[in-house]
Each structure stands twice: as C-alpha cells, then as structure tokens.
C-alpha cells in the first residue's frame, strides 16, 4: 500500500504543479496585450491562492466526512476541466470580459487544487506516520520536477502553437491522472474527533511556523507574477528563455527536497534550526535578486540566476521540515493521532501557503508597478527575514525555558 500511495501522490504533485507553473513565462505578457495592468495580473495570480486558502480550511475540517480518496480524485477532475477552459480565454474580448473570466475559471480551478493538495498531505501522513518528512521530501522531487518542466514547456508550447495548446495538453494529462489514482490510492478508515482550527492555532509555535511558511509562499507567488516581466524588460528575454530562467528556482528545490527530508527525520531536533536558517538565506536571496537599490549593486543575469538557485535551496530547507514540526506541535497540544487531526494540519498548511501565494503577487505586483521590481523584491526579503528572526527568537526562548524548568525540578545536592 505504501508504494502505491507514494506513486499516486507523486503523480498528483507532478501533474498539479506542471499545470500551475505553465502560466508564469507567458501569461503576464499575454494579459498585458489584453489591456490588463500589472496590478491586476498579480491579483489574478493571487486570487487563485486566496480561493485555495478558504477552501483548504473547509476541506481540512471535513476530510473525514468527505473521504480523502474521493476528495483527491474529484479535485484532479475539476482542475483538469478548468485548465482546458483557461486555454480558451484568449478568444474573449480584451479588457473586462477577459479579466472576469480569468477570475471565474481560476476560482473553480482553485477548489479542485485545494481538494487534491489538502487530501494528499493527510494521506501521506496517515500512510507514513514515522517518516513523514522523508516521504514528503521524496514527493517534493516531483513537485520540483513539475515546477521545472512547467515554465519551459509552457513557454515552448506557447511560442510554437499559441495560447490554447499548453492548457489543453496539460489538462489532458490531469484527466489521465483520474483513473490512475482510482486504481492506486487506498481507502483509509477514519474516526471523527472534536479537534478544531482554533485549538490548533492556540499554539504560538504553530503560528510562528505558519508566518514563516507564509513568507516563503509569498516569495514564490511574487516571482510568478513579476519575474517574467522583469526578465523581459531588463534582459530582453523571450518567453521560452524566461521558462529556462525559472528552472534556476525549481531545479535546486526538487534536487534538495529528499536530502533535507531525510535529515529532518534523522535529526528531528534540528528541524527548527533548518527552518530558521532557510528563512534567513531566502531573505538574503530576495534582497540580492533585484538587487535592492540601497545596496548599489549592478543587476546582472548571472546574479539573478544565482539568487534564484539560492532561494530554491533555502525554500526547501524551510518548507520540508515545517509540516512535520506542525504535526509534532499538534500532538503536543493533545490532539489525537488520526485522520481528522491530519486533515486539520494539512488544511492549515495549505491555507497558510495559499495566503502567501495571494499576498505575494498582489502586494508584490503593486509595489513593482508603483516603484520597481528591485524594491518589491527587497520588501519580500525583509518580511522573510522578520519571520525567520521571530521563529529563531522563540526557539531560543523555548530552549531557555526548558533548561530553567530542568534546573528548578532537579534534586538539590546534599553536599
């Protein structure tokens, strides 16, 4: 059952991510030709994430009643339909009709994506309870592979065949995943519990981990909405070349995921410091990506590629241990180790990640339009630094409190 589950979840992650990432190289330019401003482009990217946020919380709460297997299969089916429909939007009129249909199709697609992702995290944690970080690291290889292939494949298909073909081709790929997962996925027995998101969010450690996750996903969302336009304007790159540029982010993420996942399970006491270190490195990468004007560093293509590679590694360093750390924190709160709790943690994880994916394109796109990409990238780096700093300070305080408690309860020496 474990092997089949791993294969099924890997296929879901790969197909979902490749369909998600094909937009980045060419959609901003296509939307701009349709009379859409950079702020609205960012909002289109961010709206998808906002819908995933809201739906993830709902589905995480009711995963036991709906059924994890049904949730993931129906989610893939809905995403497949919406991906193909999105490819037909270039036939609509420019301006408001195009914008409204983009929002509508992306909203429904987000429901399917939220169902697939939320249930996949819960299924993995249920089937692999003792090595969740290692398994997630291996599955994230296929997430990275989807993110790697999506932009260059999307850029190439767009340049060769136009706007429709990339979405129709990848929608068909998603359709193929439906019968594949019906055959492979196990049916999980589950018991209901009285767990709630409010109880989960009463833990300060979980809230700070969520803030760190938020800054990471907002960085990815920011790059999705703005990097293509920056690369085209600054380095005169084509859509296909932008797709290759984005491989600098996704390739190291996919390559490093199983390694960091293994170390996270092998040395669980280091998870917290992996997250803090990854956040700090990510902040530095965003500040040098533009680079920030106050640094007075000249922008070069090689520097942009180098910083994307650095951000890819550091995102993995923070993201992979975070789900396992949230599960541990939930169990320390007294929540039972069952599918209901896994659904809550998965839903919260997906919701926070999506909140960042909404914030990054919308706020980052606005700052990039009003000021420039370099300043917007610096703002993103600053927020990430604050999150990593707060998490690090909390962990130091927690270690201090533990040592203080041990000393206070230790028996006094008779000598």
């Amino acid at each position: 059952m474990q092997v089949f589950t791993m294969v099924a979840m890997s296929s879901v992650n790969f197909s979902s991510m490749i369909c998600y990432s094909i937009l980045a190289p060419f959609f901003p330019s296509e939307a701009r030709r349709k009379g859409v401003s950079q702020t609205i482009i960012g909002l289109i990217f961010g709206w998808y994430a906002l819908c995933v946020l809201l739906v993830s919380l709902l589905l995480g709460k009711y995963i036991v009643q709906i059924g994890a297997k049904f949730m993931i299969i129906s989610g893939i089916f809905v995403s497949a339909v919406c991906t193909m429909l999105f490819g037909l939007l270039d036939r609509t009129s420019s301006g408001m009709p195009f914008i409204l249909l983009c929002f509508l199709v992306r909203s429904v697609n987000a429901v399917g994506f939220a169902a697939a992702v939320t249930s996949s995290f819960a299924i993995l944690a249920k089937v692999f309870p003792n090595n969740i970080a290692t398994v997630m690291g291996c599955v994230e290889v296929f997430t990275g592979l989807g993110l790697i292939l999506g932009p260059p494949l999307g850029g190439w298909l767009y340049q060769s065949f136009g706007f429709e073909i990339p979405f129709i081709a990848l929608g068909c790929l998603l359709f193929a995943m439906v019968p594949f997962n019906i055959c492979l996925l196990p049916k999980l027995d589950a018991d209901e519990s009285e767990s709630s998101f409010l109880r989960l969010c009463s833990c300060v450690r979980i809230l700070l981990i969520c803030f760190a996750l938020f800054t990471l996903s907002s960085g990815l969302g920011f790059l999705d909405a703005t990097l293509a336009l920056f690369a085209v304007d600054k380095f005169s790159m084509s859509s296909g070349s932008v797709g290759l540029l984005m491989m600098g982010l996704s390739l190291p993420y996919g390559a490093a995921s199983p390694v960091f996942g293994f170390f996270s399970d092998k040395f669980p006491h280091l998870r917290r410091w992996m997250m803090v270190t990854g956040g700090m490195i990510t902040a530095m990468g965003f500040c040098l990506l533009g680079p920030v004007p106050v640094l007075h560093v000249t922008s070069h293509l090689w520097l942009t590629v180098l910083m994307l590679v650095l951000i890819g590694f550091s995102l993995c360093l923070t993201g992979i241990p975070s789900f396992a750390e949230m599960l541990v924190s939930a169990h320390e709160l007294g929540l039972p180790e069952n599918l209901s709790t896994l659904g809550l943690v998965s839903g919260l994880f997906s919701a926070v990640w999506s909140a960042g994916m909404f914030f990054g394109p919308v706020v980052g796109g606005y700052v990039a339009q009003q000021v420039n990409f370099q300043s917007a990238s610096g703002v993103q780096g600053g927020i990430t630094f604050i999150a990593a700093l707060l998490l690090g300070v909390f962990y130091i305080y927690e270690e201090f409190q533990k040592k203080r408690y041990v000393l206070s309860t230790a028996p006094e020496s008779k000598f």
Side-chain angles (χ1 to χ4, degrees):
M1 183 175 74
Q2 288 186 330
V3 174
F4 288 154
T5 303
M6 176 77 84
V7 173
M9 292 301 96
S10 298
S11 69
V12 169
N13 276 33
F14 173 75
S15 56
S16 297
M17 287 301 110
I18 196 172
C19 290
Y20 171 80
S21 62
I22 60 169
L23 280 175
F26 63 87
F27 178 75
S29 300
E30 184 73 21
R32 193 155 62 176
R33 279 195 289 271
K34 288 282 189 177
V36 184
S37 68
Q38 186 168 350
T39 300
I40 299 298
I41 292 172
L43 193 58
I44 291 172
F45 276 93
W47 181 255
Y48 179 89
L50 181 62
C51 293
V52 173
L53 185 162
L54 299 174
V55 176
S56 294
L57 293 174
L58 185 65
L59 295 178
K61 176 66 176 177
Y62 295 104
I63 189 172
V64 174
Q65 292 85 345
I66 298 172
K69 183 174 181 178
F70 175 78
M71 187 184 293
I72 197 168
I73 292 170
S74 58
I76 296 171
F77 180 80
V78 171
S79 291
V81 173
C82 291
T83 299
M84 298 182 74
L85 287 177
F86 200 86
L88 303 178
L89 294 186
D90 68 323
R91 301 186 181 189
T92 62
S93 303
S94 299
M96 191 56 64
F98 178 80
I99 294 172
L100 290 177
L101 286 173
C102 281
F103 278 112
L104 178 61
V105 177
R106 294 280 282 175
S107 297
V108 181
N109 198 352
V111 175
F113 182 81
V117 172
T118 301
S119 53
S120 67
F121 284 150
I123 290 172
L124 283 174
K126 180 72 174 179
V127 178
F128 301 92
N130 299 320
N131 51 356
I132 180 60
T134 301
V135 171
M136 284 192 68
C138 293
V139 171
E140 286 300 300
V141 171
F142 293 90
T143 299
L145 190 60
L147 292 172
I148 289 168
L149 295 179
L153 180 61
W156 177 75
L157 287 174
Y158 173 74
Q159 284 188 317
S160 302
F161 304 103
F163 186 83
E164 296 179 10
I165 296 302
F167 298 100
I168 293 175
L170 296 178
C172 291
L173 174 64
L174 277 177
F175 269 125
M177 293 297 106
V178 174
F180 183 73
N181 282 278
I182 289 175
C183 297
L184 289 184
L185 279 178
K187 185 176 181 180
L188 302 177
D189 297 325
D191 299 321
E192 295 186 39
S193 68
E194 297 299 321
S195 305
S196 68
F197 283 111
L198 290 177
R199 188 177 178 189
L200 197 62
C201 294
S202 65
C203 177
V204 177
R205 187 197 307 165
I206 289 179
L207 290 178
L208 289 175
I209 293 173
C210 287
F211 184 32
L213 276 174
F214 170 84
T215 62
L216 297 184
S217 61
S218 68
L220 283 177
F222 164 74
L223 292 176
D224 280 341
T226 61
L227 183 61
L229 296 178
F230 170 73
V232 170
D233 294 340
K234 189 72 177 179
F235 306 117
S236 302
M237 300 180 72
S238 65
S239 297
S241 299
V242 172
L244 293 175
L245 176 65
M246 290 183 169
M247 288 179 62
L249 179 68
S250 49
L251 185 60
Y253 180 87
S257 290
V259 178
F260 290 142
F262 173 79
F263 276 101
S264 177
D265 280 332
K266 189 73 173 178
F267 308 102
H269 60 285
L270 294 180
R271 285 175 184 158
R272 52 186 57 188
W273 303 117
M274 290 172 66
M275 290 190 293
V276 173
T277 304
M280 293 290 184
I281 296 174
T282 302
M284 182 184 69
F286 273 107
C287 289
L288 291 173
L289 182 63
V292 178
V294 296
L295 297 178
H296 301 293
V297 177
T298 305
S299 178
H300 295 284
L301 180 58
W302 65 266
L303 180 62
T304 300
V305 173
L306 180 62
M307 290 304 105
L308 286 174
V309 171
L310 187 67
I311 292 171
F313 276 117
S314 57
L315 286 175
C316 178
L317 184 61
T318 302
I320 294 300
S322 58
F323 186 77
E325 191 72 5
M326 288 176 69
L327 278 178
V328 171
S329 301
H331 297 326
E332 289 179 358
L333 282 175
L335 297 182
E337 298 185 22
N338 58 18
L339 185 60
S340 181
T341 299
L342 294 175
L344 286 175
V345 175
S346 299
L348 182 61
F349 187 93
S350 300
V352 171
W353 188 266
S354 300
M357 293 296 284
F358 172 77
F359 178 88
V362 174
V363 177
Y366 177 78
V367 175
Q369 179 174 303
Q370 297 300 319
V371 189
N372 52 41
F373 174 86
Q374 292 87 336
S375 298
S377 182
V379 170
Q380 180 60 50
I383 297 172
T384 307
F385 175 79
I386 292 172
L389 180 63
L390 289 175
L391 191 60
V393 169
F394 175 79
Y395 280 139
I396 293 172
Y397 172 77
E398 203 173 46
E399 291 292 331
F400 174 76
Q401 289 293 94
K402 287 180 181 179
K403 289 181 181 179
R404 188 176 180 181
Y405 176 77
V406 170
L407 290 175
S408 65
T409 56
E412 296 183 4
S413 175
K414 296 182 180 180
F415 301 98

